[in-house]
Amino acid sequence: MFDFHVVSGETARRVIGRSRSRIVDEVRDTYLTHDLGDSVNPNSYFLRFPDKPDSRIIALPAYLGGRHSVAGIKWIASFPANIQRSVPRASAVLLLNDYETGYPFACLEAAQISAARTAASAVLAAETFGAARSARRLLVIGAGVIARNILEFFVDRDWQIDEVLVHDQDPRYAESLTEYVSGTLGREARTAPDRDKAIAEADLVVLATTAAEPYLTRPGTFAPGQLVLNISLRDIGPEIIADSYNILDDIDHCLTANTSPHLAEQKYGHRDFINGTLSDMIRGRRRVMRDRPVIFSPFGLGVLDLAVGAFVYHAALEDKETTAIEGFFGETTRW
């Protein structure tokens, strides 16, 4: 009852590296549990700084029922200026709490977990919209940690991808990710300096940038039937959103914090452009045609962090890869 374990980022990445396909299934199950109402997922809390308007630390508390029955909170920092120092933008920890007693039982380095649940969500959406698990050309815009994780998950789910295109404002990052895709992941890849040309060539577009406001605003940027995974959430202008099919992970959560769908709601004063949630699509309650672009915008639910975090914790515990903190709780009886 009073055991407390720490899981390092290196351990988390090892567990994730050998379990990516299973993590996609965990994320799918979590979405469906959330859809049934067997979860509590409050709004995220954003801690912002007057002298660093682009930076924030976010608290994501949640409870996940079903077979998990676990509560917890992710505390994740996003400092985009880190990129200029060649340091990852995001850092995070995740606390897991026992649902029966409320006692925390694990602390995990969570940048790996956050990236994994984001990548799993993206790949799950792509598989839900196109069962063939194939793409002629997959374009990633933003060549950071999230993009790398998404591509790793695509490969581990046995997607057939003829060519990966990589675009980044900094050519060095584009080159690095391209080399990783071709060398480590074994897929054809090339850099794409001309972003608009690359978008026109791709049938699957992954947006994984640190953009704070839309830069893709030209009508017709995306073609009918093109699938856009709007992972970074703020790249697309409201006009494009309104002229596309839009699937979200959770409607109320996604329509906050000036995401692209939120900007569209503010501009047009309604939510008619939203076609449903990913759970709607999985359960067959909604469908989309191919006469418009299809955009998936996941705000990122705390319950996903709990599911992936609990999976990593139990796998690490079983393999004796956790660090037990003896005497972590100062008092374990009332008297």
Side-chain angles (χ1 to χ4, degrees):
M1 177 176 173
F2 299 112
D3 291 342
F4 189 83
H5 293 257
V6 173
V7 180
S8 71
E10 290 183 355
T11 296
R13 181 150 179 82
R14 281 198 297 272
V15 172
I16 291 165
R18 59 180 183 254
S19 313
R20 292 189 185 100
S21 188
R22 287 186 61 189
I23 288 172
V24 175
D25 295 333
E26 288 283 335
V27 165
R28 183 183 188 278
D29 179 68
T30 302
Y31 274 128
L32 297 180
T33 300
H34 180 65
D35 180 62
L36 291 173
D38 195 3
S39 64
V40 181
N41 203 103
N43 289 333
S44 304
Y45 180 82
F46 287 71
L47 175 62
R48 299 186 183 276
F49 310 95
D51 60 336
K52 291 187 174 186
D54 64 337
S55 300
R56 61 193 185 272
I57 307 179
I58 312 170
L60 289 83
Y63 162 73
L64 178 61
R67 58 186 173 79
H68 292 91
S69 193
V70 64
I73 186 168
K74 180 174 74 172
W75 182 240
I76 181 165
S78 175
F79 280 55
N82 286 353
I83 294 173
Q84 307 307 318
R85 309 182 187 100
S86 292
V87 174
R89 170 188 58 87
S91 58
V93 293
L94 174 68
L95 283 175
L96 299 178
N97 294 71
D98 176 69
Y99 184 57
E100 183 177 351
T101 66
Y103 271 77
F105 61 85
C107 177
L108 299 91
E109 193 279 341
Q112 301 296 327
I113 290 164
S114 190
R117 63 89 150 141
T118 300
S121 175
V123 173
L124 175 63
E127 293 179 1
T128 302
F129 297 131
R133 294 193 187 187
S134 65
R136 183 175 51 86
R137 288 194 181 91
L138 187 159
L139 165 66
V140 292
I141 298 179
V145 171
I146 296 297
R148 186 195 71 214
N149 274 268
I150 291 171
L151 291 171
E152 289 171 340
F153 270 76
F154 270 117
V155 169
D156 276 22
R157 291 287 280 189
D158 294 326
W159 269 65
Q160 299 302 310
I161 301 168
D162 293 342
E163 186 177 36
V164 175
L165 309 181
V166 182
H167 174 84
D168 195 282
Q169 287 183 322
D170 189 326
R172 295 173 300 172
Y173 293 129
E175 288 284 354
S176 295
L177 184 57
T178 300
E179 291 173 5
Y180 180 77
V181 172
S182 59
T184 303
L185 299 185
R187 295 293 190 275
E188 292 291 329
R190 61 181 167 90
T191 59
D194 188 330
R195 185 190 67 210
D196 292 340
K197 182 174 182 290
I199 290 174
E201 292 178 344
D203 47 334
L204 175 54
V205 178
V206 177
L207 302 176
T209 74
T210 59
E213 58 185 29
Y215 58 89
L216 298 171
T217 58
R218 179 178 55 82
T221 294
F222 301 116
Q226 196 170 32
L227 176 58
V228 182
L229 303 178
N230 183 28
I231 305 305
S232 38
L233 282 177
R234 296 172 179 85
D235 304 59
I236 305 172
E239 296 83 2
I240 296 176
I241 292 289
D243 199 36
S244 303
Y245 292 111
N246 290 277
I247 302 298
L248 314 183
D249 58 353
D250 182 288
I251 293 172
D252 289 334
H253 279 81
C254 199
L255 292 178
T256 58
N258 289 329
T259 64
S260 294
H262 188 210
L263 292 177
E265 181 190 35
Q266 294 175 67
K267 180 178 178 67
Y268 298 109
H270 61 75
R271 299 180 173 186
D272 296 348
F273 54 86
I274 298 172
N275 300 93
T277 66
L278 184 57
S279 294
D280 289 329
M281 297 291 294
I282 293 171
R283 294 191 187 278
R285 294 191 298 244
R286 300 290 179 89
R287 58 183 299 221
V288 293
M289 308 299 287
R290 292 294 176 178
D291 57 327
R292 297 181 185 181
V294 179
I295 300 176
F296 174 59
S297 299
F299 192 74
L301 302 177
V303 289
L304 300 180
D305 295 293
L306 294 185
V308 176
F311 176 88
V312 169
Y313 164 74
H314 288 296
L317 189 66
E318 183 177 343
D319 291 340
K320 297 181 173 54
E321 293 184 279
T322 67
T323 300
I325 308 299
E326 300 294 337
F328 181 79
F329 297 102
E331 294 183 88
T332 56
T333 60
R334 294 189 67 191
W335 297 103

